[in-house]
Structures are given as C-alpha cells and as structure tokens.
C-alpha cells in the first residue's frame, strides 16, 4: 500500500506525457494540486490502517497529535503541503501552457522522489531518490533560463556532485563491511564490527555528504545563491521541502536508524549545528535582498535541527523533528510573502521597500506571524520547538550549547524584526503608493500556512501535557 | 573471501586513488566548466570501481552489479542535466571560465 505514494505520482506523470497534449495541458494544474492535497489530507487524518506498517516509533516522544506518529509521516505531510502551496504560487509566475506543463511535470517527479526518500528502507534506494530530487531541483532552479539562475544551479550541481561522491564512497565502504544495503543489516554489521578507522571514515564521509546537501555551515556556499536565483515558486519548494528532505531528513534517518548515536557523531553534529546557527544568523544581518536574507536564515534554522539531533536523547530527536516541520511551514510562508512582494513591487531590495503593511494587510500580518514564529515568540509553533531544543540541551548537560541556542534565538528575533521594519512598517514611499494586495492564490497560500503555524502553536500545550503525563 | 588475490585488490585500490586525485584536480584547479564535469565523471568512475571491488571481496557480486548498473543510469541523467546548464551558461557568458561566475555575491 505504501508504495502508492511513489508510484502514483510517477504513473500520473507518464499518463500526462502521453498524447492528447492539449487536453493534458488544461488538466495538469488541477491534477498536481489534487495529488498533493490528497497526500497532505491522508497523512494529517491518518485514518487508514496502512500507517501501522512502519509504526515502530523513532523515539517514544514522536507521537504528536497533529496526525504524525513517525518521521516518515512528518516528511510526507510537509511534502504534500508544500507542493500544494508551490503549485498555487506558480499560477502567478508561470504562464499557462507548455511552460506550466513542464513545471508541473518536474514538480511531480520531485514529489515522487521526496516520497521515496521518506519511505526508503535501504541505503542505496535512499541515494537514488536523493538524486531524483536533486536533479529535478537543478532543472527547476534554471527554469527561467536567466543568467543568475544558471550560475546558482551550476554551483549547486558541483557541490551536490561532491556530496554524491562522498555518499557513494561511504556506501562502498559500508558495503565492504556489511555486504548488504538494508538499514537493519547495515546497523547489525556496524554494531558487530569494532569501530575501526574504516567504519569511522565511512560515517564521516556520509555526514559530510549530508552536510553539503543540507547547507550546514562549512558547506553552505551554494544555498543562498540557489535560493535567491531561482524563481519564486521554486524557492518556496526548495526551502520548504527539497533541501530539507535531501539533507536534513536523510541525515536524521541515517543517524537514528543506521549509525546509531556515538560520542564522536554527537560531537560533530552539535558543533556543526551550533556553528551553523551562529554563522547563519550573523550573515543574515548584512543582507539587503529579501530572499537572500531568508536563505541565510534557513541556514541558521537548519543548524537548530542538526544541533537538536546531536543531543541524542529521545527528547532531542523529537525536538529536531518538530522544528523540521515548523521550519517547513514558516519558511514556506515567508517565501510566499517574498513572491507576493516581488510580483507587486517588482523588486526584492529591502531598502527600496517600506510601509507595505498598510497597502498589503494580509501579507503584512502573515509575514509578521512567520517572523515571530521563527524568532520563537509564544504561543506560535516556533516557540515550542525552540523551547524543546533548549530543554533537551539543558537536561543532557550541554550548558554551553543551550546558551548559544538561546542567545542566537534573540539574534533571530533581531534580524526578523529588522526585516519587518524595513519592508512592512513605517510610512509608504511615493513610488509604492499604488501597490495592491497580491492575487487570491497567493493570499490563500499565506493564510493556510499562517493558520497552520498559529494552530500548531496554540494546540501544542495540550499535546505536551499528554507527553509529560505518559 | 578466501580466493581473493590481494595483489588485484591492491592494484584496484591504487587506480581508485589515482582517479580520485585526478577528479578533484579537474574540479578545483582547471577553472573550466566542462573539465569540472569531466572531473565529476572520473570521481563517479572511481566510486563504481570501489563498489565492484567491495562486491568481489565480500562475495556479493550480484548485488554489486545491480547497484553499479543503477548508478550508471543515475550518472548519465546527472551529466545530461549538468551539460545543459553548462550550455546555458556559455550562451549567457560566452566563456567557459569558472572565474567569470561572479555575478552572485554576499
């Protein structure tokens, strides 16, 4: 049953590319939209029996009542939601006809790939699905064929190729030790073998590969370029799901399920995460481009997820997964707002904007909600995940890292308020006096995502009580 | 495991290391878009060789072959897309020099 999640988008893709192009061009938008929506609703309701197949929880804490009981389900939910939003946003940016058909096909391919990453149960399939998602992301980034997009895509391609080489070398070394590829067999083989230099080298190479793909700080060079140069709907998709699935989710999956926690792994994860949090937040302060600022903020938030993973307690893993979900929601929301701004004003330079909250009330309010959520202001969703991360750090005696996480949270509040003040607050300039609110599809996207952020934040304390009592 | 000729393994290991050095040299020191892609190809070939050797040493040749065939397919798709991007860059910049890729900064 679960393989439907991979096969359905692929079969739909094949049917769409058969003859009857003119008919297919008309229905492609609706088909893509409904596929993503069906997946999100299926996961969120979780009413079907087939979820029980993989119901061995990653950690006892991971049974949130927002309809998720496992890491895979979390990624499936994010994927359905963000692809739905991306489709709606693309309606304003990509014209009807051939272009939108190609865009939707690529997006569906990537959708199937992310579902595959979520459901893969052996190392090599994980690699294959990662490549599927990466390759469709390359094409999506340079979809508009302008110069910056090609440049950003090329940087991503080269760094991604190096990450691929690292992962494959590591797979070869693991194959040498275990002789098999499935998660259980590799886990058993790694447990039985003493941690020789060969195994340590394999683990290190694998972690490096994921760090490059996720954009954790020593390897973050490509991320800002790719996010900024891609067209607006593609940035929503890249920031919301694509790089998260390829880098962060796969990292969590491999570390939790295959490698298991070990002191050197934890130290590397904690250090890389903390470095990413601080460097990403500081780099944000100097940016003038709206999307570039969001990209650096993404690096900082990915750092939080890696930091939480490095704690290696069930609470830490749960916090990492929860922040993963929250990040997909509020970062997509901010990129949707960036898209609305770009279409309304024609620029992304923050110095040329100002006072837009009066002219664009929905965009202003949802953007303020997303900023407060990222900064960790109660009662929004981001507050709870950051609180969980800091509690987990403190309770496992990583006091320095807890301090860094808390201080960087203040820094986050600082740069997010800076962004709000520059773009939305203040008085309207003369050249912006005729700006109107965005189209209905952009407004619907913003409202849905803002409702999810607020809803999860407000409802979370009740779930937290259940977790503590149980 | 018992019938493995250690000299063969040693030779393959040397070749793999050489391919790795050549590939990384191509990517980082030649400043040419096409050569960078050739470097990626060399690196993937090195990894392919490593996987086949691992399969031979552990006696799982069938699995190793399946993996390598899939790997070759993925690699071809990857290199086609990357070449398309290189053609696009050449159309915009008129050059293949990677040092001219300085448009995005900050």
């Amino acid at each position: 049953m679960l393989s439907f999640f991979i096969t359905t988008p692929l079969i739909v893709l094949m049917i769409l590319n058969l003859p009857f192009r003119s008919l297919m061009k008309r229905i492609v938008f609706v088909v893509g939209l409904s596929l993503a929506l069906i997946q999100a609703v299926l996961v969120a309701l979780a009413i079907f029996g087939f979820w029980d197949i993989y119901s061995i929880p990653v950690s006892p804490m991971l049974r949130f009542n927002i309809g998720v009981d496992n890491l895979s389900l979390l990624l499936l939910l994010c994927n359905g939601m963000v692809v739905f939003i991306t489709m709606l946003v693309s309606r304003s940016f990509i014209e009807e006809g051939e272009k939108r058909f190609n865009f939707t096909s690529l997006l569906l391919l990537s959708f199937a790939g992310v579902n595959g990453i979520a459901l893969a149960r052996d190392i090599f399939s994980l690699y294959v699905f990662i490549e599927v998602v990466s390759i469709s992301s390359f094409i999506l980034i340079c979809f508009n064929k302008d110069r910056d997009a090609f440049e950003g895509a090329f940087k991503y391609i080269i760094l991604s190729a190096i990450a691929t080489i690292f992962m494959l070398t590591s797979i070869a070394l693991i194959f040498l030790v275990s002789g098999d590829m499935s998660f259980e067999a590799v886990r058993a083989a790694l447990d039985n073998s003493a941690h020789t230099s060969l195994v340590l080298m394999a683990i290190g190479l694998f972690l490096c590969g994921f760090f490059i793909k996720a954009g954790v700080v020593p390897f973050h060079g490509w991320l800002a370029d790719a996010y900024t140069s891609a067209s607006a709907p593609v940035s929503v998709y890249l920031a919301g799901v694509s790089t998260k699935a390829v880098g962060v989710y796969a990292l969590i999956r491999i570390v939790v399920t295959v490698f298991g926690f070990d002191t050197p792994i934890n130290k590397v994860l904690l250090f890389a995460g903390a470095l990413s949090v601080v460097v990403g937040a500081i780099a944000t302060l100097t940016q003038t481009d709206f999307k570039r600022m969001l990209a650096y903020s993404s690096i900082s938030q990915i750092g939080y997820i890696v930091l939480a993973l490095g704690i290696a307690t069930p609470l830490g893993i749960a916090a990492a997964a929860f922040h993963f979900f929250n990040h997909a929601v509020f970062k997509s929301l901010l990129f949707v707002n960036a898209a609305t701004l770009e279409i309304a004003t024609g620029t992304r330079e923050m110095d040329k904007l100002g006072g837009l909250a009066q002219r664009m009330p929905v965009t202003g309010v949802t953007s303020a909600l997303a900023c407060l959520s990222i900064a960790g202001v109660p009662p929004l969703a981001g507050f709870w995940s950051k609180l969980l991360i800091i509690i987990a750090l403190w309770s496992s005696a990583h006091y320095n890292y807890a301090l860094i996480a808390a201080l960087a949270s203040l820094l986050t509040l600082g740069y997010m308020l800076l962004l709000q003040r520059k773009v939305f607050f203040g008085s309207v300039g003369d050249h912006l006096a005729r700006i109107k609110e965005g189209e209905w599809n952009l407004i619907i996207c913003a409202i849905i995502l803002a409702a999810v952020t607020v809803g999860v934040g407000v409802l979370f304390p009740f779930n937290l009580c259940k977790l503590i009592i149980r | 495991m018992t019938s493995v000729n250690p000299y063969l393994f040693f030779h393959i290991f040397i070749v793999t290391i050489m391919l790795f050095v050549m590939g990384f040299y191509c990517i980082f020191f030649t400043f040419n878009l096409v050569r960078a892609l050739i470097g990626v190809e060399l690196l993937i070939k090195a990894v392919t060789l490593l996987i086949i050797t691992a399969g031979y040493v552990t006696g799982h040749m069938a699995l190793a072959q399946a993996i390598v065939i899939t790997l070759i397919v993925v690699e071809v798709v990857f290199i086609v897309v990357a070449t398309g991007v290189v053609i696009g860059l050449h159309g915009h910049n008129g050059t293949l020099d990677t040092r001219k890729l300085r448009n995005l900064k900050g």
Side-chain angles (χ1 to χ4, degrees):
Chain A
M1 286 290 272
L2 275 176
S3 59
F4 278 152
F5 281 101
I6 306 171
T7 50
T8 313
L10 285 180
I11 291 173
V12 167
L13 188 65
M14 283 176 206
I15 294 173
L16 284 174
N17 281 284
L18 288 178
F20 315 113
R21 263 295 178 88
S22 53
L23 171 71
M24 294 307 175
K25 273 178 202 164
R26 255 177 284 149
I27 61 169
V28 69
F29 185 66
V30 183
V31 168
L33 213 58
S34 46
L35 259 184
L37 187 63
I38 288 171
Q39 172 167 331
V41 170
L42 268 184
V43 180
L45 294 180
I47 44 176
F48 289 92
F50 55 70
W51 297 127
D52 297 337
I53 299 172
Y54 289 126
S55 66
I56 312 148
V58 178
S59 84
M61 304 287 284
L62 258 182
R63 292 183 169 271
F64 300 133
N65 275 1
I66 49 173
V68 182
D69 66 338
N70 200 322
L71 210 54
S72 304
L73 281 181
L74 199 66
L75 183 62
L76 290 175
L77 178 65
C78 291
N79 192 21
M81 191 172 62
V82 176
V83 168
F84 180 75
I85 300 291
T86 310
M87 290 275 193
L88 271 182
V89 173
S90 78
R91 199 185 155 280
S92 304
F93 281 83
I94 293 164
E95 67 237 40
E96 188 94 46
E98 191 71 29
K99 269 200 147 182
R100 192 182 289 172
F101 182 79
N102 292 342
F103 179 84
T104 315
S105 299
L106 281 169
L107 202 58
L108 276 180
L109 185 62
S110 195
F111 180 67
V114 174
N115 282 354
I117 293 177
L119 302 174
R121 279 298 177 276
D122 68 287
I123 296 181
F124 193 71
S125 337
L126 189 70
Y127 157 75
V128 170
F129 285 119
I130 285 176
E131 280 303 291
V132 169
V133 177
S134 306
I135 289 171
S136 28
S137 306
F138 303 153
I139 311 177
L140 281 173
I141 290 172
C142 44
F143 194 73
N144 281 340
K145 295 183 185 165
D146 51 0
R147 186 182 156 179
D148 287 358
F150 277 125
E151 198 176 318
F154 191 77
K155 285 179 185 169
Y156 187 14
I157 285 176
I158 289 297
L159 275 170
S160 176
I162 293 171
T164 301
I165 303 298
F166 282 172
M167 281 185 209
L168 281 172
T169 312
S170 169
I171 286 177
L173 295 179
I174 288 173
F175 189 43
L176 201 59
V177 175
S178 73
D180 200 356
M181 285 288 165
S182 75
F183 284 168
E184 291 79 18
V186 174
R187 175 98 196 228
L190 291 186
D191 281 348
N192 287 334
S193 74
H195 271 232
T196 55
S197 52
L198 193 69
V199 172
L200 274 182
M201 188 177 151
I203 292 175
L205 283 173
F206 229 123
L207 289 185
C208 272
F210 286 137
F211 284 171
I212 295 177
K213 290 256 183 191
V216 175
V217 147
F219 315 106
H220 64 292
W222 63 271
L223 192 138
D225 291 346
Y227 280 19
T228 318
S229 59
S231 69
V234 181
S235 319
V236 175
Y237 180 68
L238 280 178
V241 160
S242 172
T243 55
K244 303 291 169 307
V246 164
V248 182
Y249 171 83
L251 177 70
I252 300 177
R253 168 62 70 207
I254 286 286
V255 169
V256 170
T257 320
V258 180
F259 293 156
F261 287 102
D262 198 8
T263 323
I265 299 182
N266 295 347
K267 277 186 181 160
V268 169
L269 287 175
L270 282 170
F271 183 73
L275 193 67
S276 214
V277 166
V278 175
V279 174
I282 290 173
T284 315
L285 293 171
T286 59
Q287 304 303 322
T288 54
D289 185 317
F290 195 95
K291 262 161 85 172
R292 214 174 172 81
M293 189 162 183
L294 296 183
Y296 277 107
S297 147
S298 244
I299 294 173
S300 171
Q301 302 304 314
I302 289 171
Y304 271 107
I305 303 174
V306 176
L307 183 67
L309 183 64
I311 304 167
T313 56
L315 187 64
I317 303 169
F322 191 33
H323 200 66
F324 177 85
F325 174 78
N326 282 338
H327 183 257
V329 176
F330 50 57
K331 198 46 66 75
S332 314
L333 176 51
L334 280 171
F335 272 104
V336 169
N337 288 333
T340 317
L341 280 181
E342 198 178 339
I343 223 168
T345 63
T347 180
R348 294 197 310 255
E349 288 294 317
M350 288 192 291
D351 296 332
K352 293 180 188 166
L353 302 170
L356 288 173
Q358 303 166 21
R359 312 294 311 175
M360 311 167 87
V362 179
T363 311
V365 170
T366 51
S367 160
L369 280 173
C371 286
L372 292 177
S373 184
I374 288 191
V377 173
L380 297 164
F383 167 70
W384 299 109
S385 55
K386 281 197 176 169
L387 185 70
L388 279 183
I389 291 174
I390 291 171
I391 289 175
L393 279 169
W394 194 267
S395 62
S396 58
H398 295 295
Y399 303 115
N400 298 339
Y401 287 118
L403 195 65
I404 290 175
L407 289 180
S409 187
L410 284 180
L411 203 57
T412 315
L413 183 65
Y415 69 70
M416 278 300 157
L417 286 183
L418 195 70
L419 180 145
Q420 279 290 313
R421 195 177 65 83
K422 272 187 183 170
V423 178
F424 291 107
F425 300 156
S427 57
V428 191
D430 288 338
H431 59 294
L432 296 173
R434 292 189 184 177
I435 299 292
K436 286 204 183 70
E437 185 62 86
E439 294 176 48
W440 60 270
N441 49 346
L442 297 172
I443 294 183
I444 287 179
C445 293
I447 290 176
I448 291 175
L449 289 173
V452 172
T453 307
V454 177
V456 171
V458 172
L459 295 178
F460 188 72
F462 304 106
N463 297 335
L464 194 65
C465 287
K466 279 183 198 161
L467 288 177
I468 291 168
I469 291 165
R470 184 151 62 107
Chain B
M1 221 36 202
T2 49
S3 66
V4 174
N5 180 357
Y7 288 104
L8 179 73
F9 185 69
F10 183 70
H11 289 164
I12 290 177
F13 191 67
I14 294 290
V15 172
T16 313
I17 296 287
M18 280 166 61
L19 282 173
F20 265 114
V21 172
M22 281 156 68
F24 276 114
Y25 180 81
C26 277
I27 290 179
F28 290 115
F29 298 108
T30 56
F31 303 115
N32 183 306
L33 297 175
V34 176
R35 285 193 190 143
L37 293 189
I38 294 174
V40 172
E41 280 286 287
L42 282 175
L43 287 174
I44 297 182
K45 293 293 178 290
V47 172
T48 313
L49 201 56
L50 205 58
I51 290 178
I52 282 288
T53 317
Y56 179 68
V57 170
T58 54
H60 292 88
M61 268 317 260
L63 183 59
Q65 282 176 17
I67 288 171
V68 163
I69 289 171
T70 320
L71 186 58
I72 289 172
V73 174
V74 172
E75 170 204 347
V76 167
V77 177
F78 177 86
I79 228 66
V80 165
V81 171
T83 317
V85 172
V86 167
I87 291 172
L89 270 175
H90 185 258
H92 278 285
N93 289 346
T95 170
L96 288 175
D97 197 336
T98 46
R99 283 165 291 191
K100 296 279 160 58
L101 295 182
R102 291 286 179 270
N103 219 13
L104 299 168
K105 268 187 187 168

